Amino acid sequence: MSDTNRDQPTSGGPMEKVADIASDIGEYIRQQRSNAKISLRQLSKLAGVSNPYLSQIERGVRKPSAEILQQIAKGLRISAEALYVQAGILDLPTGGPVGDAIRADTELTERQKQVLLDVYESFRRENAAAKPEQQAATPEPAADTKESA
């Protein structure tokens, strides 16, 4: 019974999606490592991950856990959140360029970044909720001109 299942194509199935995510995160890590001009061996030492395992991650053979991604992020000196998004662990963050700038700031701790992002998002939500109220309170000029004609 299991032999017949093995012969069936798996295109678009969950296992292929996992493989795509692993490949994507591996490529992203490789790009970040290249940008930082760090060798695979150096990053493996900085992240506390074995050289062969890191190589497998970069080639898309292995999908790292959130814990390993955090160690790699520290080694690359980038936000762990960026790796989590690439790995599909977190959804793409909102907030546009302001949120991106906060996340990219190397002078802030992860906790400080999160607090700033929370405050910023609360302001955005508050303003978005106030927009319909403002529009309802403001008379539309087109309606006034029709009545006077």
Side-chain angles (χ1 to χ4, degrees):
M1 199 171 199
S2 63
D3 289 339
T4 56
N5 289 342
R6 254 188 267 158
D7 295 335
Q8 293 175 356
T10 59
S11 62
M15 292 308 289
E16 279 191 20
K17 289 179 183 173
V18 169
D20 288 346
I21 289 171
S23 175
D24 291 347
I25 187 63
E27 181 60 32
Y28 182 78
I29 290 169
R30 180 180 289 142
Q31 287 174 350
Q32 294 300 313
R33 182 175 58 76
S34 176
N35 291 346
K37 296 182 178 18
I38 300 174
S39 73
L40 186 74
R41 191 176 307 265
Q42 289 171 316
L43 180 56
S44 71
K45 191 172 186 174
L46 289 169
V49 177
S50 76
N51 201 31
Y53 183 62
L54 184 57
S55 175
Q56 289 173 347
I57 292 170
E58 284 193 358
R59 290 181 285 131
V61 176
R62 300 255 186 170
K63 184 175 184 261
S65 67
E67 220 174 275
I68 297 295
L69 287 174
Q70 186 174 25
Q71 290 173 236
I72 292 171
K74 283 181 184 174
L76 289 169
R77 294 187 176 180
I78 62 171
S79 164
E81 186 178 57
L83 288 182
Y84 294 159
V85 168
Q86 287 293 322
I89 295 171
L90 285 179
D91 291 332
L92 190 63
T94 57
V98 174
D100 292 345
I102 292 170
R103 286 182 203 89
D105 193 329
T106 57
E107 299 293 315
L108 299 175
T109 66
E110 289 300 316
R111 171 91 174 109
Q112 290 168 332
K113 289 176 188 180
Q114 193 55 56
V115 169
L116 279 173
L117 289 168
D118 289 346
V119 169
Y120 179 66
E121 284 304 315
S122 73
F123 286 147
R124 289 174 50 96
R125 281 191 301 273
E126 186 179 307
N127 290 345
K131 275 185 185 177
E133 294 171 12
Q134 290 172 350
Q135 289 173 349
T138 307
E140 297 199 20
D144 291 339
T145 55
K146 286 180 185 174
E147 289 176 14
S148 62

